[in-house]
Amino acid sequence: MTFWNGILVVVLTATLIVSAPAVAGSNGVPTPPTGASAPSASPEPPPYAKTPPELSPYDQWTQPRGRYFQPHHFYLPPSFDPEIEYNRDIPIGLMGYDRAHPFYYLSIQAEHAMMLAIEEENARGGYNGIPYRLVVERTLPVWGASSNGAVAFAYQHKVLFYVGPPDASDSHIALRVNLKTKIPMLCTYNTDPTQTETRIPWYLRVNLDDRQYGYALVMHVVKRLGHKRIGIFRVNGMYGRFGVNEFTDACRRLGHPLVIELRHKQGAKATELASQVETLKKANLEALVLWSDAADAGNVMRALRDGGFTVPVFGADRVVYQEFIKTAGKAAEGVVAVTDYDPTRTDPLNDRFRLAYTKRFGEAPEACAARSYTGMRVAFDTIRKVGPKRRPFMEGLLKLEGQKIPTVLGTLELDSRLDNLAPVRWVKVVDGQFRYSDTPPAP
Amino acid sequence: MKKGAILVVMLAGILAGSVAPGLAGFPATFEWKRLGRETGLPMLKTLSVEMLDGVIYAGTGKGLYQKMGERPFERVVLGEIPETAILSLKADRKSRDLWVGTLHGLARANRGRVDVYTQLNSGLINNVIYGLDPVGKHVWVATAAGASRFEPSTGRWEIYNEKNSPMKEIWCYGVAGSEKYVYLAVWGGGIMEYNYATGVWKNYFDPDGEFEMDLFRNDGPPSIITSNVDYDGKTAWVSTYFGLGSYDGRRWLEWFEDSGEGMPSNFVNNTRSDRNSPGRTRPQRVWACTDRGLGCFDGKIWSLEIADVQVHSVSFEGDIVVAATDNGVFVGTAKAPSAKAGQDAGSGTEKDQMKIVPPVRTGKEVKTP
């Protein structure tokens, strides 16, 4: 073979490989060239969202065609339009609620924490001397109303990013608007597991979700304590509807499907729950799990204990607010719940935050405040690196995948969905106080 | 020397493979011309597009623009609707009305007249409109808080949400139909089918019920999170952020970026069949607007028509295809000569029906524990 023949062969081979789309695959469909798209199927995928092996869906029966949310699955398409320039100040949004809204107790904590974080950051000079400014859009208690708020953030307030609403019924709607308006959204208190399972690459969540809480509760209640007859009492709203899904599935996968799932209306008083309490007593339960807002859960506990229901009660994260103890009174004793924030944890970040928050607002911060402050600190750290521009900011957040970030909540462990997989913390009500621990409390 | 040549060939192969362009689909079958700011667009992000009587209507992030012939794009003022994102455009080819779905309400434009419908002045359920379709005497509107159905001849509005239909969630992102069936793409609610004859709704969900996986191929919509839907009178085409599906009234088929037919990406914003494109002489195609470009399906494989740009919408008239992208509007014409009318194509004939090669059902066999 001469030198030029060799060159010819090389060129021909290279050309063939580059332009070879028509390799017959199964059923006669040719195989396309590959490149840009990473395959979603993997022979040995990492466990999704730290799912315990025994809780993984369908694993006893078969393997799925494809698995999503593999590492680095987010793709932020290129933008071709110039970014907004923030010269006078940098608006940051909060989709909150007004006083009459059932989730006001959460949104006011987020508002305070954001105010504190912004004041601190502005005291340090903002971003190169440009101060940050908080803009609050108060969403009406109507399903769908958050879409208008998300549009206002884009077209009226022109925010750099915003902190989304606590309820999935609002935040899903807002997130889809963000896909079109290309505005990053931080989640600091919505616990719906499906919120980060949409593949929309404009979202980061710092708090734990109900998948993690559900797994923790079921492993404790069913596997550790050995309860077999389990019931759920939950709010008839999106928090309850989506919150219990993973717990319910996990109970079934462990061979102990729920005996009963009852609902109560949002804002139900203890005196309105007599019939549900009777039904629960007749169900012969060994454990009951509550998935309701703090005040509702307090009313439920009062109704249960006043009605003679003596079975151990476990709660999801919205139980861990002072409003619960205030409403339930003595009926709260012994309730065990899950959360991601331990205010008693000794840690310089947490100590400093707790002191500053208490000094500024005259009350100790609870989980929602700590989460929102955490989100803001993560955001400011990212902006400092990439500047106050929406797409670079989101790119900066995407780089946090797989990282461990120390915060007032503890160490964030952000997975491929930019969702936090840090360990769950436990709480037990003892003598009218929340007692925190890193492991489930003894029965 | 032979061994040396083989080595050289192998090295060249490896080298070529490593520098091959990032192409997920098959080579483009259309030629494309890009229209950017130089043609009068106020910004490049274009979220919707429609053609009517040769005019290109572009729904940008800053309002509606129209392009007539060689003239530049001109702003179409939509009454009191502010400069906002236009998420959907669809022409009623009987009345020549152009229906415009925005983040601030619904508008109808026709020969200079503009009517505006909002959640405060009409039966429109929400101002954030993701999709719409004029179907017979109705205009169906998919909004962030349910679906509305408007009958322009009477002014009558009807609302469909979780209270009067099996709508699992109320976030409707696409709607398309005929005078027999209307399909709604509902975020977290799969596909809803409305039967005009009975007035009954039917749901289609991804049967595995899990977001993080797809258990079997061709078992239903690729995901319960649907982003849009089109119905060409024979087949409903369903876009999701996890692949694309079709339903012909009997069975579901699905295509994915890793299933071998060349889908550019699983993240599909929108899909549309050109089966009913007026005046079309070329063969039927189905289009997928993805985050990585525009895919074109001939029944067997997907070609990547426009690469490396997010595509939001596509429209057709005659043999022309127009696409709305993050980088302006693209106008495409087929590279291959058009088939003779009525031979290989032709709107409304049975010959025109695209023959789909059913993808192989994949997934490991179910074992008995």
Side-chain angles (χ1 to χ4, degrees):
Chain A
M1 182 181 271
T2 66
F3 173 77
W4 289 109
N5 278 347
I7 294 290
L8 185 65
V9 171
V10 171
V11 170
L12 279 173
T13 310
T15 310
L16 269 173
I17 289 169
V18 170
S19 63
V23 181
S26 56
N27 78 333
V29 175
T31 308
T34 55
S37 301
S40 55
S42 169
E44 286 182 32
Y48 174 70
K50 285 190 178 173
T51 303
E54 59 266 60
L55 304 185
S56 184
Y58 303 109
D59 260 14
Q60 293 183 62
W61 309 87
T62 186
Q63 291 298 305
R65 182 206 68 79
R67 294 183 191 272
Y68 302 115
F69 312 117
Q70 300 300 300
H72 307 294
H73 80 99
F74 276 131
Y75 172 68
L76 207 56
S79 286
F80 300 88
D81 288 304
E83 289 272 349
I84 292 175
E85 295 285 342
Y86 296 106
N87 297 317
R88 200 181 61 182
D89 58 19
I90 302 167
I92 292 171
L94 166 67
M95 196 170 280
Y97 300 111
D98 65 21
R99 280 182 185 278
H101 199 288
F103 305 138
Y104 178 74
Y105 76 105
L106 298 172
S107 79
I108 188 62
Q109 291 192 19
E111 193 171 331
H112 284 167
M114 289 178 72
M115 283 168 65
L116 178 65
I118 287 175
E119 285 166 5
E120 287 176 354
E121 197 66 12
N122 285 343
R124 291 188 195 117
Y127 178 79
N128 289 346
I130 307 171
Y132 294 95
R133 173 169 56 88
L134 180 63
V135 180
V136 184
E137 270 286 323
R138 299 190 194 280
T139 299
L140 295 170
V142 179
W143 207 9
S146 63
S147 58
N148 304 103
V151 171
F153 279 142
Y155 283 89
Q156 186 183 338
H157 308 302
K158 301 184 192 304
V159 298
L160 171 62
F161 72 89
Y162 66 93
V163 170
D167 204 62
S169 57
D170 294 320
S171 54
H172 268 293
I173 290 174
L175 179 61
R176 187 43 159 61
V177 174
N178 294 9
L179 177 67
K180 299 298 179 187
T181 56
K182 300 189 176 187
I183 297 180
M185 180 155 87
L186 284 189
C187 169
T188 62
Y189 47 151
N190 166 15
T191 53
D192 172 9
T194 67
Q195 187 73 51
T196 52
E197 293 177 333
T198 66
R199 295 196 75 214
I200 291 181
W202 293 95
Y203 195 72
L204 179 142
R205 171 154 58 195
V206 296
N207 57 284
L208 295 186
D209 68 6
D210 286 329
R211 177 184 291 275
Q212 300 306 317
Y213 294 138
Y215 290 162
L217 282 168
V218 82
M219 296 307 270
H220 179 57
V221 172
V222 178
K223 289 209 75 171
R224 208 165 289 123
L225 300 180
H227 293 313
K228 295 181 174 63
R229 295 186 59 81
I230 299 151
I232 281 182
F233 199 10
R234 70 165 175 89
V235 65
N236 192 18
M238 197 136 182
Y239 173 61
R241 180 160 65 98
F242 272 64
V244 301
N245 283 345
E246 294 304 327
F247 179 83
T248 304
D249 288 349
C251 285
R252 194 181 64 249
R253 284 169 195 148
L254 290 177
H256 303 294
L258 293 181
V259 174
I260 192 169
E261 180 182 329
L262 280 186
R263 306 174 200 175
H264 63 80
K265 69 176 183 183
Q266 193 121 40
K269 303 293 174 211
T271 50
E272 298 172 310
L273 300 168
S275 66
Q276 286 105 316
V277 172
E278 285 307 308
T279 305
L280 288 169
K281 281 165 69 178
K282 287 176 189 164
N284 194 24
L285 297 177
E286 296 171 10
L288 179 72
V289 172
L290 275 182
W291 226 287
S292 303
D293 281 279
D296 283 356
N299 281 319
V300 166
M301 281 311 300
R302 273 180 50 206
L304 288 170
R305 297 310 188 213
D306 289 352
F309 184 85
T310 56
V311 168
V313 174
F314 301 85
D317 78 307
R318 287 196 191 172
V319 164
V320 192
Y321 287 87
Q322 288 300 323
E323 189 69 25
F324 168 69
I325 291 181
K326 196 174 124 189
T327 314
K330 286 184 180 171
E333 284 299 303
V335 169
V336 172
V338 282
T339 183
D340 53 6
Y341 180 55
D342 175 359
T344 63
R345 189 172 53 91
T346 306
D347 170 88
L349 285 174
N350 187 31
D351 294 345
R352 199 161 51 235
F353 163 68
R354 221 175 43 244
L355 279 174
Y357 188 96
T358 307
K359 185 179 172 190
R360 175 72 174 82
F361 301 107
E363 60 185 18
E366 295 191 280
C368 198
R371 294 164 176 177
S372 301
Y373 185 82
T374 295
M376 293 300 285
R377 298 291 359 146
V378 169
F380 288 138
D381 288 346
T382 306
I383 294 166
R384 236 174 270 126
K385 291 176 194 161
V386 301
K389 294 186 175 175
R390 288 173 182 167
R391 192 173 187 284
F393 173 59
M394 196 61 232
E395 285 173 329
L397 295 180
L398 287 168
K399 285 179 185 162
L400 300 178
E401 177 183 340
Q403 291 196 25
K404 296 195 172 187
I405 306 161
T407 70
V408 299
L409 279 183
T411 303
L412 302 190
E413 298 176 27
L414 295 172
D415 73 351
S416 63
R417 302 163 298 157
L418 295 186
D419 209 337
N420 185 11
L421 297 183
V424 165
R425 297 177 196 282
W426 291 87
V427 181
K428 185 173 185 179
V429 181
V430 179
D431 298 332
Q433 301 287 324
F434 289 125
R435 295 275 172 85
Y436 292 85
S437 59
D438 290 342
T439 53
Chain B
M1 189 63 195
K2 263 186 182 175
K3 277 182 186 171
I6 290 167
L7 189 67
V8 170
V9 169
M10 285 173 69
L11 281 172
I14 292 165
L15 186 69
S18 64
V19 297
L23 194 65
F26 286 86
T29 57
F30 280 64
E31 283 173 353
W32 295 92
K33 181 187 171 191
R34 180 179 157 273
L35 306 175
R37 280 197 203 88
E38 70 285 355
T39 62
L41 285 176
M43 65 187 303
L44 293 173
K45 186 170 80 172
T46 313
L47 296 158
S48 55
V49 69
E50 179 66 306
M51 281 192 79
L52 179 61
D53 300 331
V55 179
I56 298 173
Y57 293 92
T60 76
K62 289 183 178 176
L64 178 65
Y65 283 73
Q66 65 177 15
K67 184 170 182 7
M68 304 164 86
E70 295 302 311
R71 290 165 60 182
F73 277 103
E74 299 164 333
R75 173 98 191 262
V76 180
V77 177
L78 296 173
E80 64 263 36
I81 291 180
E83 191 179 80
T84 188
I86 312 293
L87 300 186
S88 54
L89 290 167
K90 201 67 89 69
D92 182 334
R93 297 195 181 269
K94 283 183 186 160
S95 65
R96 321 315 283 179
D97 287 337
L98 179 72
W99 289 93
V100 186
T102 83
L103 287 177
H104 288 84
L106 174 72
R108 172 174 60 179
N110 193 336
R111 300 180 188 90
R113 172 180 167 162
V114 174
D115 301 301
V116 172
Y117 307 92
T118 69
Q119 64 190 65
L120 297 179
N121 74 6
S122 72
L124 182 67
I125 192 166
N126 189 272
N127 278 350
V128 177
I129 298 169
Y130 288 107
L132 56 86
D133 196 21
V135 177
K137 62 182 182 180
H138 293 129
V139 178
W140 287 79
V141 187
T143 85
S148 286
R149 189 174 82 175
F150 178 46
E151 189 173 334
S153 62
T154 62
R156 179 187 169 94
W157 286 87
E158 285 175 70
I159 283 172
Y160 298 96
N161 61 13
E162 85 284 5
K163 293 189 169 62
N164 62 350
S165 70
M167 199 176 280
K168 202 175 166 198
E169 310 298 338
I170 57 167
W171 320 314
C172 301
Y173 293 136
V175 61
S178 69
E179 292 187 27
K180 284 186 179 175
Y181 298 107
V182 172
Y183 291 90
L184 265 178
V186 185
W187 180 269
I191 290 294
M192 291 176 67
E193 177 190 82
Y194 178 79
N195 186 326
Y196 258 110
T198 62
V200 172
W201 289 94
K202 185 179 176 185
N203 285 356
Y204 298 93
F205 301 135
D206 178 15
D208 63 49
E210 301 292 336
F211 285 66
E212 71 269 30
M213 65 168 64
D214 184 48
L215 194 61
F216 293 117
R217 192 172 188 183
N218 300 339
D219 61 352
S223 168
I224 199 168
I225 302 172
T226 50
S227 61
N228 227 311
V229 64
D230 191 31
Y231 182 58
D232 62 16
K234 291 280 186 185
T235 306
W237 297 90
V238 177
S239 61
T240 77
Y241 300 147
F242 301 83
L244 188 138
S246 74
Y247 178 63
D248 63 2
R250 193 171 66 86
R251 65 177 175 176
W252 282 90
L253 301 176
E254 294 172 298
W255 291 269
F256 304 96
E257 66 186 23
D258 61 348
S259 60
E261 296 85 10
M263 266 286 288
S265 167
N266 278 347
F267 198 98
V268 190
N269 288 307
N270 199 349
T271 182
R272 209 165 165 193
S273 160
D274 61 20
R275 180 171 182 265
N276 300 320
S277 172
R280 174 175 59 80
T281 62
R282 57 172 175 74
Q284 182 200 349
R285 295 288 180 262
V286 173
W287 301 79
C289 306
T290 82
D291 62 345
R292 294 177 189 267
L294 180 64
C296 174
F297 185 54
D298 66 0
K300 196 171 182 180
I301 56 170
W302 292 86
S303 54
L304 180 59
E305 295 294 334
I306 306 171
D308 300 327
V309 65
Q310 173 148 254
V311 184
H312 298 280
S313 170
V314 66
S315 179
F316 332 95
E317 197 168 65
D319 288 339
I320 305 288
V321 182
V322 284
T325 80
D326 276 351
N327 194 18
V329 174
F330 284 73
V331 182
T333 48
K335 285 179 180 172
S338 297
K340 287 179 186 171
Q343 190 178 48
D344 184 24
S347 186
T349 68
E350 282 306 311
K351 283 179 184 174
D352 158 60
Q353 178 69 5
M354 190 168 72
K355 288 183 178 60
I356 301 172
V357 178
V360 170
R361 183 187 170 102
T362 52
K364 291 183 182 173
E365 290 301 309
V366 175
K367 63 187 177 191
T368 308

